[in-house]
Amino acid sequence: HIEPSDPTRAEFGLIVGQAIAGHGLGRLLMERLLIEARSRGLTLHGIVRRGNARMLDLCRALRGSAAVEPGEPGLMAVRFDPILEDGG
């Protein structure tokens, strides 16, 4: 959802059940979210458990950044910045 306090930022949440994990659904959903966010010039952000290596690897592979959530050592804050037309 787009944050009312900052309309240039949107929070995402994504859960793929264990029974269907590992088949590319998470990647497909994240790629679609990123296409939409970038088309709107939005910074996309979310929280990932530090032990969720698959999701953190996916975020990094899709050019996101991850850092420890302040005050929450078991959580990582992930962020995807919009891609500007000039390649920025």
Side-chain angles (χ1 to χ4, degrees), residues 36-51:
E36 188 63 29
R38 288 174 173 154
S39 75
R40 296 176 184 221
L42 297 172
T43 297
L44 200 60
H45 70 96
I47 300 294
V48 177
R49 287 191 178 121
R50 194 170 191 168

Side-chain angles (χ1 to χ4, degrees), residues 27-58:
R27 174 177 284 275
L28 181 70
L29 292 170
M30 279 303 302
E31 287 173 344
R32 183 63 185 115
L33 277 171
L34 288 168
I35 289 168
E36 188 63 29
R38 288 174 173 154
S39 75
R40 296 176 184 221
L42 297 172
T43 297
L44 200 60
H45 70 96
I47 300 294
V48 177
R49 287 191 178 121
R50 194 170 191 168
N52 190 346
R54 290 174 93 178
M55 184 60 176
L56 292 170
D57 288 346
L58 174 60

Side-chain angles (χ1 to χ4, degrees), residues 3-85:
E3 295 182 16
S5 63
D6 185 353
T8 66
R9 289 175 44 100
E11 181 179 19
F12 76 92
L14 178 66
I15 297 173
V16 175
Q18 190 174 10
I20 59 172
H23 297 283
L25 181 58
R27 174 177 284 275
L28 181 70
L29 292 170
M30 279 303 302
E31 287 173 344
R32 183 63 185 115
L33 277 171
L34 288 168
I35 289 168
E36 188 63 29
R38 288 174 173 154
S39 75
R40 296 176 184 221
L42 297 172
T43 297
L44 200 60
H45 70 96
I47 300 294
V48 177
R49 287 191 178 121
R50 194 170 191 168
N52 190 346
R54 290 174 93 178
M55 184 60 176
L56 292 170
D57 288 346
L58 174 60
C59 289
R60 290 180 182 115
L62 296 174
R63 300 192 313 200
S65 61
V68 175
E69 176 71 4
E72 297 287 344
L75 300 177
M76 301 292 285
V78 296
R79 175 184 171 128
F80 298 90
D81 291 314
I83 297 174
L84 304 174
E85 292 296 319

